[in-house]
Amino acid sequence: MSGTTAPSVERAPSRTADRWALAALAWTIAIGIVWLVVPTGSSGSTTVLSDGTVIEETANVTLLDNEGPGVLLVLAVPVLLAAISAAASRLRDARAVRFIAGGLLLVGCVLGAASVGLPYMPAALALLVAAGTTPIRKRPTDAT
């Protein structure tokens, strides 16, 4: 027998799938930052002074200003799902992990469509593409 070893049966992770998962992660981070810094509404106040002068003030507010720090948890969920999918690259069940993450993000997009959900749709689709392009890895059979 020669000193060479047989090639590994398990395939390396798909670079295409990994790129899709990383693109989804980058997208969710970018959209989360946009939601935090871009004004999403305005607030105003009117004051009438004793001499009859009316002072009106308006200010643009971000989602964080309007909803408070609790919105950070909501915005972290898509990033977490995409990060799990990107990190799943070398797992035996990477394909399933990516399908689950993409499916959950897609459900979140639909449920949050009236508020913050729709901009995350490209990331959900990218995660599903990553799942679809991730190679199926077969489990080793038991030798008992």
Side-chain angles (χ1 to χ4, degrees):
M1 192 153 196
S2 70
T4 61
T5 59
S8 174
V9 175
E10 187 172 317
R11 292 178 53 191
S14 167
R15 288 185 184 170
T16 301
D18 291 346
R19 287 183 183 131
W20 279 105
L22 288 173
L25 178 59
W27 186 264
T28 58
I29 291 169
I31 294 299
I33 291 170
V34 166
W35 279 125
L36 291 176
V37 299
V38 172
T40 56
S42 61
S43 65
S45 66
T46 304
T47 307
V48 179
L49 301 177
S50 60
D51 65 357
T53 305
V54 177
I55 300 174
E56 292 186 20
E57 295 177 345
T58 60
N60 292 327
V61 293
T62 65
L63 191 62
L64 184 60
D65 296 331
N66 199 30
E67 300 297 326
V71 77
L72 295 173
L73 292 174
V74 174
L75 297 178
V77 170
V79 175
L80 182 63
L81 289 171
I84 289 169
S85 180
S89 175
R90 297 214 178 261
L91 294 178
R92 181 172 306 283
D93 297 325
R95 185 178 175 96
V97 168
R98 288 176 170 168
F99 269 122
I100 291 168
L104 288 172
L105 186 54
L106 187 61
V107 167
C109 290
V110 171
L111 293 176
S115 59
V116 297
L118 284 182
Y120 290 102
M121 189 66 76
L125 297 176
L127 290 180
L128 293 173
V129 170
T133 56
T134 299
I136 298 172
R137 297 190 183 135
K138 296 184 180 185
R139 295 189 179 277
T141 58
D142 291 334
T144 56

